[in-house]
Amino acid sequence: MIKSNSLAIIGAQWGDEGKGKIVDFFCKYADGCVRFQGGPNAGHTVVFDDKRVIFHQLPSGLTHSHLKGYIASGCIIDLEVLKNEIEELKNLGIDIKNRIFVDYRCHLIFPFHKEIDKKREELKKGVKIGTTQKGIGPCYEDKYQRIGIRIGDLKDFSLFSEKLKQEFLRKNYLLMEIYEVPPISEKSYLNFVKENREFFLSLITDVSKEVYEELKKGKKIIFEGAQGTLLDINFGTYPYVTSSSTIAGSISGQVGIPFNFIEEVIGVCKAYTTRVGEGPFPTELTNEIGKYLQEKGKEFGATTGRKRRCGWFDCGIIRYAKRINGFEKLIITKIDILSGLNELKIANGYIYEGNEIDEFIPELAYHLEPKYLELKPFNQDFNKVKSYKDFDEEVLEFLNTIERLTGCEIWAVSIGEKREDIIFKY
Ligand code: IMP
Ligand code: MG
């Protein structure tokens, strides 16, 4: 199923492309799965044997009992989320012993990061980002200010407590003086860490070295992107982005492996477009069709429960994501949601100030007028589709049009959310 030893699975839109299901699918054939950026802002849904798990902090492949899951140095960790998620897996009967590896360099998200994230958004007058309020921005800020605390610091608990108490003091001052909210006590948090310290220590390792050695041995590793290309801190629709780099090129730097160890990159995109949170969205549908996609596609944020904004498939975005990430192959998800509409469109480039533009330009995103192509709508019962040739003519036309306009080959089409419902082209 996977020819190369290392495969990166990257979101080509604004996240929520259905990467969780795809990562989980490929992990059956892999030895390891690596999260390389972000934190519990991610929400990767995996459905198997009538069970459903939403991974926020852990790699999505862990329901496969043979697989090792890695959280690399580019990630940030909320220890409470991590612990709960591991408990959840255990409760599902999934053994995680010696299967989870966390890089000692990962920075930690503390209760004050979440509070600052919340309050900052609440008090903003102009540009609200609509963050997940998981403390992502404030934690990465501390990392880059070089005042962050890393999971590896747990090794010396007295030093860790000392550092953290200092940080609580500083952040409480900010919360009281700027945000006018009561301070947060460090006591209960420190108790939680103390009680679980041995367990967390048992997970810590040098993921950079572990993954390097696995790849050297010829093991197969999946690199699991979180969020999507247009949420990348550099190449997304800034400032409506997340605080980490989500693109394929940043994997080596965030995991700590040579760049030429990433052999293949795949782009994942929905058969339409969604975005959760604020920011530009050229093909957004604020009409009945948008509502239909939102409801039928159950487009609610897996982390925050917020309604996702929905719109037509946008080839300009895929061209951009293709160039930035270097993928040639696409996996299209949730094709079944488009079934039954009486209108079907794809955006192929834009008009900007009277000129035609092929590729999405984040900087101009608010002013890009999509050029639409009308396609024949389809109404197929996808339960009966077992191979690519079973798709109705109109569905094939939709898929072929995407291939032609994006210059990407469609590798597979995913239907619904069950693990086995994925149709490969070859
Ligand atoms: P943050 O990552 O919580 O700071 O949120 C920044 C922006 O990224 C907001 O628009 C969020 O809705 C969006 N975002 C963050 N994580 C995800 C995700 O996993 N899927 C979709 N959108 C996300
Ligand atoms: Mg998600």
Side-chain angles (χ1 to χ4, degrees), residues 15-16 42-44 302-303 308:
D16 304 315
H44 295 170
T303 301
R308 295 181 187 137

